[in-house]
Amino acid sequence: MPATPPRIAVVTDSAAGFPPGWFEGPGSARGITVVPVPVSIGGETVAQDDAALFRPLSVALAQGTDVRTSRPSPGRFEQVYRALETAGFDGIISVHLSGLLSGTVDAARLAAASVDIPVEVIDTGTTGMAQGYAALEAAAALRAGLNLERSAAAAAMAGRGSALYVYVPNLDRLRRGGRISAAAGWLGSVLSVKVLLKVQEGRLVPLEKVRTPRRALERVEELVRADLATRDPAVELTVHHYGNEDQAAGVAGRLGAAAPAARISVAPCPAVLAAHVGLGVVAVAISGRAALG
């Protein structure tokens, strides 16, 4: 009898920000295990999923309450990995947000060394659905019959090939949280100006400053369309928001008209990212191969 192929699980963290419903029925993220990244509101850690966190986090952001995030503990990852081993999995691909933005991937590596099945830990170098698409790529590769190592490599490549453009109405929370450098040229004097950021080499870096929210969104769309022009038409996009879903839906609609072959979703910004960028954020994650020259 032919050998039974190994069962490989995919794990990620809640910074992936999957759209609602993607874990249900035939959803794209079915079977992926998500480890929550802790969020602390007013000094109290809230141990809830992103959907349950939305209201208390939105209120805290609106009121200026202190909000912080921390990495999941290595013990939390070890607990998840051991549960998957007990469930009969032979290996794990663990796909995480940039190690330059969080210690989450380091916690996953520590836990991987403590379990008895192989665990491939991937630093995607990004966050949001740019990270989520890397986890989906690992799952798709496994379904296609690729082994642990090749599926992990596919996830890493998807992370490196992704893009994440972010419009932040106010940089104050990013500055206070240390997720972006105050020494970035003009940055220190533009807290009242709308800023466009991009994830680049694992960090959030400033791209441009603009004067109005309307122009900021127009410019995000211009940057995304320019990026799409370098990729195959059948790309995937997710437009993230926090407290401004109608605004994000408008961006998604206009991008859909400009890129009819793209698969476009709208999703709340993951709580761990919203804690640092605040209300009113619009971010566009792109995943797709570069166009052949």
Side-chain angles (χ1 to χ4, degrees):
M1 295 179 62
T4 302
R7 293 181 66 207
I8 309 299
V10 178
V11 173
T12 190
D13 57 74
S14 57
F18 290 105
W22 280 29
F23 292 94
E24 302 168 3
S28 299
R30 65 191 184 280
I32 295 177
T33 299
V34 178
V35 177
V37 179
V39 175
S40 174
I41 299 175
E44 179 181 352
T45 299
V46 183
Q48 297 175 309
D49 62 22
D50 273 18
L53 259 174
F54 180 78
R55 180 169 176 77
L57 180 55
S58 296
V59 171
L61 293 173
Q63 294 178 343
T65 303
D66 183 52
V67 178
R68 300 178 183 271
T69 60
S70 59
R71 72 177 192 178
S73 69
R76 180 71 180 97
F77 277 111
E78 183 177 344
Q79 181 184 34
V80 169
Y81 296 162
R82 289 195 182 279
L84 290 168
E85 181 181 5
T86 300
F89 286 93
D90 304 297
I92 298 168
I93 302 172
S94 208
V95 182
H96 299 291
L97 77 160
S98 171
L100 296 177
L101 297 175
S102 166
T104 298
V105 71
D106 293 326
R109 289 183 179 124
L110 287 170
S114 302
V115 297
D116 298 325
I117 59 175
V119 182
E120 290 279 348
V121 178
I122 305 298
D123 181 344
T124 64
T126 188
T127 187
M129 266 305 291
Q131 168 194 336
Y133 286 127
L136 292 175
E137 187 69 21
L142 291 167
R143 287 195 295 270
L146 274 63
N147 63 15
L148 175 72
E149 293 77 13
R150 292 179 65 189
S151 297
M157 184 177 297
R160 289 194 300 270
S162 68
L164 183 67
Y165 297 92
V166 186
Y167 156 53
V168 181
N170 189 305
L171 281 175
D172 185 48
R173 285 193 176 271
L174 275 173
R175 282 272 302 273
R176 283 190 285 165
R179 262 52 179 193
I180 190 166
S181 172
W186 44 264
L187 188 57
S189 61
V190 298
L191 290 181
S192 62
V193 175
K194 315 308 174 187
V195 177
L196 307 183
L197 310 171
K198 182 181 181 182
V199 173
Q200 188 169 299
E201 297 181 350
R203 299 184 184 275
L204 273 172
V205 299
L207 287 179
E208 301 174 10
K209 57 182 178 180
V210 292
R211 292 291 176 183
T212 67
R214 179 178 177 179
R215 180 54 187 154
L217 292 177
E218 289 174 348
R219 189 65 186 124
V220 166
E221 293 172 26
E222 290 168 2
L223 291 168
V224 170
R225 288 196 299 270
D227 188 305
L228 294 177
T230 70
R231 301 175 186 264
D232 286 340
V235 298
E236 294 189 279
L237 285 81
T238 295
V239 183
H240 288 299
H241 58 87
Y242 216 73
N244 53 327
E245 184 174 0
D246 289 348
Q247 198 174 49
V251 171
R254 290 187 292 274
L255 290 175
R263 178 189 179 193
I264 302 179
S265 305
V266 176
C269 188
V272 62
L273 183 56
H276 295 287
V277 296
L279 294 170
V281 61
V282 172
V284 182
I286 308 173
S287 179
R289 293 177 175 80
L292 297 177

